[in-house]
């Protein structure tokens, strides 16, 4: 079997706070939520139909807590691809997602940067490359 990237770890402050954001605000689904110990869980969320997901990992220790929301040094960290930018931009805005810029049209598609509840930057993007 060829290798593939399966999960990306995202440091969070608390599992339930993060779950609430990703499920209620971004519309993701919970793929797994398993208690490993009294204070550690294996929590995976993903957008509907996605092959890959996010492992929500509760930060442990000062060093990890300091990087919550800054895992990519302030750059766009994650890319949420859509087949209908206008639909998803409107829905996310109505659910309280904070976009840090207006939508823009680039040679590769339509994109706007938003922040998750921790300040990590994401691209909401509809690619035009390779379309009809």
């Amino acid at each position: 079997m060829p290798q593939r990237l399966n999960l990306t770890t995202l440091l969070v402050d608390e599992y339930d706070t993060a779950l609430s954001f990703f499920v209620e605000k971004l519309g993701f689904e919970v793929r797994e939520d398993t208690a490993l110990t009294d204070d550690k869980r294996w929590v995976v969320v993903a957008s509907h139909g996605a092959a890959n997901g996010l492992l929500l990992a509760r930060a442990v220790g000062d060093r990890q807590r300091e990087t919550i929301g800054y895992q990519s040094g302030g750059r766009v960290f994650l890319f949420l691809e859509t087949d209908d930018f206008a639909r998803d931009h409107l829905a996310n805005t109505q659910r309280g997602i904070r976009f840090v810029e207006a939508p823009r049209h680039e040679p590769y598609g339509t994109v706007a940067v938003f922040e998750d509840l921790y300040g990590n930057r994401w691209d909401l993007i509809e690619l035009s490359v390779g379309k009809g």
Side-chain angles (χ1 to χ4, degrees):
M1 178 178 145
Q3 294 180 341
R4 65 184 172 90
L5 185 62
N6 184 25
L7 295 173
T8 299
T9 299
L10 184 68
L11 289 172
V12 301
D13 60 351
E14 293 296 333
Y15 297 112
D16 292 332
T17 303
L19 274 172
S20 177
F21 175 82
F22 284 100
V23 172
E24 295 171 20
K25 298 280 188 180
L26 278 184
F28 283 22
E29 62 186 12
V30 178
R31 295 272 174 91
E32 188 172 352
D33 187 352
T34 303
L36 301 176
T37 66
D38 287 342
D39 62 349
K40 186 175 181 179
R41 290 160 50 186
W42 183 264
V43 179
V44 177
V45 296
S47 58
H48 292 277
N52 305 324
L54 288 175
L55 173 65
L56 304 180
R58 189 174 53 81
V60 176
D62 291 341
R63 185 170 181 193
Q64 288 183 16
R65 280 191 287 278
E66 289 169 3
T67 63
I68 293 173
Y70 204 69
Q71 285 182 232
S72 65
R75 295 188 59 134
V76 169
F77 179 44
L78 299 162
F79 298 80
L80 185 58
E81 186 178 345
T82 177
D83 63 350
D84 187 333
F85 181 89
R87 175 198 67 212
D88 290 344
H89 182 266
L90 177 62
N92 286 332
T93 301
Q94 290 174 337
R95 288 191 300 254
I97 298 297
R98 189 175 91 76
F99 283 85
V100 299
E101 64 178 20
R104 66 185 194 280
H105 300 284
E106 299 290 347
Y108 52 82
T110 304
V111 63
V113 176
F114 69 92
E115 291 181 340
D116 65 22
L117 74 163
Y118 301 109
N120 293 301
R121 289 182 168 229
W122 296 59
D123 270 358
L124 176 65
I125 186 166
E126 180 180 358
L127 295 173
S128 59
V129 175
K131 290 187 175 182

